[in-house]
Amino acid sequence: MTAEQLISFARGAPSLDIIDVEGLKAAAARAFDADPAGVTAYGTSVGYVPLRKWIAEKHNVSADQVIVTNGSLQADAFLFNHLVQPGDDVVVEKPTYDRTLLSLQNLGAKVHQVTLQSDGIDVDELRTLLESGVRPKLAHIIPNYQNPAGITLSVSKRRALLALAVEFGFTIFEDDPYVDIRFRGDALPSMLSMDSDNAVVHASSFTKTVCPGVRVGYLVGPAALIDAIAKKATNLYISPGMVSEAIVHQFCVSGDIERSVQTVSTALGERAQVLAESLRKHIPGATFTEPDGGYFLWVDLPDDVDVDKLFPAAMKKGVAVVKGSDFLLEGGNHSLRLAYSAVTVDQIDEGVRRIAAAIEEVRA
Ligand SMILES: Cc1ncc(COP(=O)(O)O)c(C=O)c1O
């Protein structure tokens, strides 16, 4: 490996070697053969109807509770636009996905970040916030292998959150693109499946299990809400891309998706382990929790390492990272998010060596 070749711990996307390109090509051929009219037409804003049905069955809901979108980021945007007005209070995790922070800020929402503990959001801190009089429209929660912290919300906290949502009348937005990328442990029930009060809207995506290029994600929620969002989606773009949704549909019904999930989970599990070993070896002052799944590992560095200085120094050495401060309204100046999804195993140790060298440089 040459020193010039960039090693990226920045991108939360699967590397090409774990994307089933041949499977997708075959799924595309089957999609055009099986349904040439449906694939090539505009379609409707709820998405490609057979894929919508497959998603509804996966989540054990009726099809009118599902809208399929161009990636889950669009699902997020639809929901935020629908529920949040300028000045509205919203709750997010601390730290949280940087694009969520940006979207909510751009909408003029009053964003409250609530501490993320090793078993998920601090529900006592949230209760204190609610009891102080704050009435959020929604709480955005990434329950499994959280982006950026790699943390999973415990079942007891899922229950506690649902109870708070009912008591204080807010929507839980369960943003769950990483759930299937599990290295160890049992799958936990989604809050969507635990909810009997229409308190949860759930989003997920095929980005992390198939590939980002298909841009297929979705929203599951109460039928009336999905219908209202679908009407706005019609005015915005008539329909999302039928070609890619039909390909994803064929990829799912053939069972290829299960193999793809297995491939990605196995590869990322190994990469996460190698990354943890390299961090222990080369950056002994770093603290982190090894994730049980997902794409990310959050690293806290010693207090004398300023990530604003580290970021450019690391780039100069040919390694890309994301600053912890990108995921927070304030703080995060000594933390990094490392994605192990876009690197191959043989790049990881060298990448961590480069980060270690950059740390020494900025400390000096
Ligand atoms: C928590 C979370 N939500 C949504 C998204 C957007 O994913 P998509 O590619 O489905 O738009 C991401 C992508 O990184 C994410 O981490």
Side-chain angles (χ1 to χ4, degrees), residues 127 130-131 135 160-170 197 199:
R127 174 173 278 284
L130 297 166
E131 285 176 349
R135 288 291 173 271
L161 264 178
L162 283 165
L164 285 174
V166 173
E167 183 179 345
F168 291 94
F170 61 87
D197 297 285

Side-chain angles (χ1 to χ4, degrees), residues 11-13 69-76 93 96-100 140-148 173 175-178 203-208 211-213 215-218 295-296 337:
R11 293 191 49 238
T69 53
N70 294 317
S72 64
L73 197 60
Q74 184 163 56
D76 300 10
E93 295 160 314
T96 192
Y97 180 39
D98 47 352
R99 290 192 187 280
T100 300
H140 174 261
I141 304 287
I142 307 164
N144 296 292
Y145 323 124
Q146 200 251 14
N147 179 7
F173 179 28
D175 188 3
D176 203 14
Y178 302 101
S204 193
S205 174
F206 295 93
T207 286
K208 315 292 174 174
C211 68
R215 302 311 296 130
V216 180
Y218 58 89
Y295 274 52
F296 308 107
R337 187 195 74 176

Side-chain angles (χ1 to χ4, degrees), residues 150 184 272-273 276-277 280 288-293 297:
R184 58 187 148 257
Q273 194 188 337
E277 281 163 18
R280 280 191 281 266
F288 56 89
T289 305
E290 277 186 65
D292 293 332
L297 190 148

Side-chain angles (χ1 to χ4, degrees), residues 236-248:
L236 183 71
Y237 60 22
I238 304 176
S239 76
M242 290 295 114
V243 173
S244 62
E245 290 192 10
I247 294 171
V248 169

Side-chain angles (χ1 to χ4, degrees), residues 14 18-19 181 183 208-210 259-271 294-295 341:
I18 54 173
I19 295 172
I181 309 302
F183 313 149
K208 315 292 174 174
T209 52
V210 179
R259 210 181 48 238
S260 183
V261 164
Q262 193 56 47
T263 304
V264 176
S265 304
T266 305
L268 267 53
E270 186 188 2
R271 292 175 198 179
Y295 274 52
S341 46

Side-chain angles (χ1 to χ4, degrees), residues 265-333:
S265 304
T266 305
L268 267 53
E270 186 188 2
R271 292 175 198 179
Q273 194 188 337
V274 172
L275 177 58
E277 281 163 18
S278 294
L279 285 168
R280 280 191 281 266
K281 191 158 51 164
H282 302 304
I283 314 180
T287 53
F288 56 89
T289 305
E290 277 186 65
D292 293 332
Y295 274 52
F296 308 107
L297 190 148
W298 179 266
V299 187
D300 291 317
L301 298 169
D303 281 354
D304 60 345
V305 182
D306 177 348
V307 290
D308 281 331
K309 292 189 184 136
L310 179 61
F311 177 81
M315 276 307 269
K316 254 198 230 149
K317 295 197 183 301
V319 59
V321 296
V322 184
K323 297 184 287 182
S325 47
D326 287 1
F327 306 95
L328 291 149
L329 294 173
E330 53 187 44
N333 303 321

